[in-house]
Amino acid sequence: MELGKGNRSVTSVDVARKAGVSQSAVSLVFAGKAEGRVSAQTQREILRVAQELGYRPNTVARMLRLGHTNIIALVIPDVSNPFFAAVLKGAEQAARQQNYAVVLVNIEDDLSWQGVVMDALTAHSIGGFVLCSVRPSEDVDLTLLRYRAVMVDVTHPEISSMLLDIVGGTRAAMRHLLGLGHRKIAHLATTVDAETFHQRRDTYKQELLGAGLLVRDDYTAYAALESGAAQRAARTLLQVADPPTAIFCDDDILAIGAYKAAQEAGLKIPDDLSVVGFDDGLIAQTLTPALTTVAVPATALGRRATEILLADFQIPHEPHREVMPLELRVRSSTAAPRNSTAM
Amino acid sequence: MELGKGNRSVTSVDVARKAGVSQSAVSLVFAGKAEGRVSAQTQREILRVAQELGYRPNTVARMLRLGHTNIIALVIPDVSNPFFAAVLKGAEQAARQQNYAVVLVNIEDDLSWQGVVMDALTAHSIGGFVLCSVRPSEDVDLTLLRYRAVMVDVTHPEISSMLLDIVGGTRAAMRHLLGLGHRKIAHLATTVDAETFHQRRDTYKQELLGAGLLVRDDYTAYAALESGAAQRAARTLLQVADPPTAIFCDDDILAIGAYKAAQEAGLKIPDDLSVVGFDDGLIAQTLTPALTTVAVPATALGRRATEILLADFQIPHEPHREVMPLELRVRSSTAAPRNSTAM
DNA sequence: CTGAAAGCGCTTACAG
DNA sequence: CTGAAAGCGCTTACAG
């Protein structure tokens, strides 16, 4: 069919023939390595003919010859989670700036992402990986990923990582509540088993103890990262005999549940109950009153992780580690407790 | 350095040599075209050796030989918009099922996305495109994209498209409000200039006229897709002399603004004011009371668009058009108007 | 059933 | 400054 012919693309050979030069000259010009190798005159002529013919170097041929691709993969648990979407956005920005493309690998519940990653690596289709919040099984050897991967929010002895200062963020949140005078602070935690949440939990306890308070079992409730479950969990917190005056939530999504449970119980936020979240995505400003929360700069995180990855390509060295600070954004969901008498 | 050597990957030649067969035999086996060409015995041996050596076909070499890649690009205005993130998720699901990867092309304000797309196409790095809510400039010739692209939410004479039944969705929303007895229905519209929003606007007007009502200028306010702007716009709607009893919002994000403006004005939703949104993402269930909204199945949309694209690759034909129906999800933000007297 | 060979479109030593 | 040539690792006619 004529489509096939019409589509047949113009190659460096076509340009060379028409310009009356060698194919190497064309290649040199487009690789930007022509200086001192091809006369200015010839370069101009090559460019002119290329333009006329609509020539564009075939990137696939280039990749084969060079032995590496300009594609990195972002491996994430779920794009439809706004946090990961924001990370992806940052990754794409950084990648594009250096002429790399980002492919998405959405892992969802598939815990054997290592297989997918290794396949992509050994099939030479992917130059590097940003592994976001996915933890490798202990028994998988990831040394092949040295200089080819950056882990986000997870550490690994052999691989560079971009971490969040979860401890600092949690501490800021807890000290804000303690500073307001709260002494009965509950923890609405998630059931998700990840380092980042363990750190929140540990810091929550530490800060309570540091303030001379006890860690009460009935001041902790667990829920999946989903507002319905969070609401049910928050309800149990508000129903204990001596209810908390503040709730620290592992994630803004859980804060939604806290708001709904408070409303059910006839409690006003922040007068009767203070709520602090974690994330600061769209949710935090959607909630009324606006949520006080620990902001996680997801886009910056994705951007920086990608920059580290691309830098690791250049000069292999020791795994790079960087920690991104987190800030507490104080809004309208926190205030001093109404009756500090119950202390 | 030893890394370079250690990394040198095993090729079909290595497998062939070790198995004592020709390179073509190895290639045939891995291309799944060995039946009747290579004896079962030899096939087993090849597979065994390949396994032992850790051989994986080099996809880049394969792409060069075959003349096409297994990569499609999703071109979207902004991944951090949850709607587009959901589309991306669906696209990735469909693509992966057929062994394609999806790269993200985040266009943001860059209106000249056609350049990026054409570059990627002519550079042979991308096999096809899902163009989501991006409208081509009139003067750009996209015939090269025939059979290589599917447009989502936009039509084009030469290119397949996956559309949403915006008219049906808007109609359902308006009839719901009219059915509840509302006669003073405002439109909180977005300033975003896209087909999809024009359709909402036109249908809004049509439904009012169809119900024997007038389209009032002061019942329309425009805002960017951002809750702060929406709040200011909604405020003006609630401050007109004879205020509306219901607001139809172009998007759930605008509904956030409507909720905030209602709260400011001391109006209870749905008793004093009914609000309908459009999208049904996370926001709709975050808002209190839960938002009645037109659900847009974004993930299904991305999945289906990608399926159409991959099918178009197989058998070039007339542009394919498909329309996805939209459903109204009735929740708690709509009720009969309190005083139907003001009619 | 099996193998030798051409060729996809580049990049890059190498020889002039 | 310029060109002929090898080779990246595949796929696929083609000859045996």
Side-chain angles (χ1 to χ4, degrees), chain B:
Chain B
M1 56 181 152
E2 71 298 335
L3 223 194
K5 290 190 182 224
N7 262 359
R8 208 204 130 276
S9 52
V10 5
T11 71
S12 56
V13 172
D14 299 326
V15 176
R17 188 151 34 214
K18 180 136 189 193
V21 300
S22 76
Q23 182 269 328
S24 350
V26 177
S27 196
L28 253 9
V29 169
F30 277 86
K33 298 191 173 171
E35 239 39 65
R37 315 261 285 108
V38 181
S39 71
Q41 161 86 34
T42 308
Q43 287 192 46
R44 268 195 304 278
E45 178 62 5
I46 289 173
L47 255 11
R48 198 188 59 71
V49 173
Q51 167 87 8
E52 188 182 322
L53 261 39
Y55 170 69
R56 307 229 60 228
N58 181 320
T59 51
V60 173
R62 184 162 207 279
M63 286 172 179
L64 175 59
R65 184 56 234 245
L66 260 28
H68 60 82
T69 71
N70 281 248
I71 302 172
I72 64 177
L74 179 73
V75 181
I76 52 178
D78 181 12
V79 230
S80 63
N81 179 326
F83 175 75
F84 294 122
V87 173
L88 173 53
K89 179 177 182 165
E92 203 262 349
Q93 288 172 352
R96 194 198 297 215
Q97 203 149 60
Q98 301 193 39
N99 267 303
Y100 274 74
V102 177
V103 317
L104 171 69
V105 182
N106 214 28
I107 289 301
E108 312 230 345
D109 340 279
D110 182 7
L111 294 170
S112 64
W113 58 268
Q114 289 122 128
V116 178
V117 165
M118 286 307 183
D119 275 13
L121 188 74
T122 52
H124 303 271
S125 50
I126 300 291
F129 300 85
V130 174
L131 305 167
C132 196
S133 302
V134 289
R135 185 207 294 283
S137 343
E138 301 281 328
D139 55 329
V140 176
D141 177 30
L142 294 182
T143 47
L144 271 178
L145 287 181
R146 288 178 77 181
Y147 320 124
R148 313 263 85 188
V150 170
M151 297 202 151
V152 173
D153 212 11
V154 176
T155 51
H156 185 98
E158 318 224 29
I159 298 174
S160 291
S161 55
M162 183 73 226
L163 301 170
L164 292 168
D165 184 15
I166 300 296
V167 171
T170 305
R171 186 175 289 153
M174 291 298 291
R175 293 194 180 170
H176 169 63
L177 290 173
L178 290 165
L180 286 170
H182 290 277
R183 291 296 171 267
K184 297 186 287 183
I185 306 174
H187 184 197
L188 182 47
T190 179
T191 48
V192 175
D193 176 30
E195 211 167 312
T196 182
F197 295 115
H198 301 157
Q199 288 178 1
R200 290 163 170 67
R201 179 73 188 149
D202 292 343
T203 309
Y204 162 80
K205 288 184 185 173
Q206 235 170 59
E207 289 298 311
L208 283 186
L209 296 175
L213 300 168
L214 292 175
V215 177
R216 292 173 52 165
D217 273 355
D218 56 355
Y219 275 10
T220 300
Y222 287 90
L225 281 181
E226 180 258 307
S227 63
Q231 181 175 2
R232 287 187 293 276
R235 199 180 287 151
T236 68
L237 290 176
L238 298 178
Q239 284 170 349
V240 305
D242 180 25
T245 59
I247 302 182
F248 166 66
C249 304
D250 268 356
D251 190 283
D252 288 357
I253 292 183
L254 300 178
I256 299 174
Y259 272 56
K260 294 198 169 176
Q263 198 188 32
E264 271 179 3
L267 298 173
K268 272 227 152 15
I269 295 173
D271 309 304
D272 306 314
L273 182 71
S274 286
V275 177
V276 177
F278 213 109
D279 186 19
D280 197 28
L282 182 60
I283 295 170
Q285 300 181 58
T286 303
L287 286 169
T288 312
L291 182 67
T292 294
T293 190
V294 179
V296 181
T299 301
L301 187 68
R303 196 186 301 117
R304 190 71 197 111
T306 303
E307 286 168 1
I308 292 172
L309 177 66
L310 297 180
D312 276 12
F313 286 172
Q314 319 299 330
I315 345 133
H317 41 50
E318 283 303 287
H320 187 106
R321 300 205 187 295
E322 212 169 295
V323 177
M324 187 161 275
L326 302 185
E327 271 175 35
L328 180 71
R329 297 244 196 286
V330 178
R331 297 209 182 84
S332 318
S333 67
T334 46
R338 185 166 275 178
N339 16 320
S340 310
T341 57
M343 276 181 74

Side-chain angles (χ1 to χ4, degrees), chain A residues 12 23 27 33 55 58 62 65:
Chain A
S12 56
Q23 182 268 329
S27 196
K33 299 191 174 171
Y55 169 69
N58 181 319
R62 185 163 206 280
R65 184 56 234 245

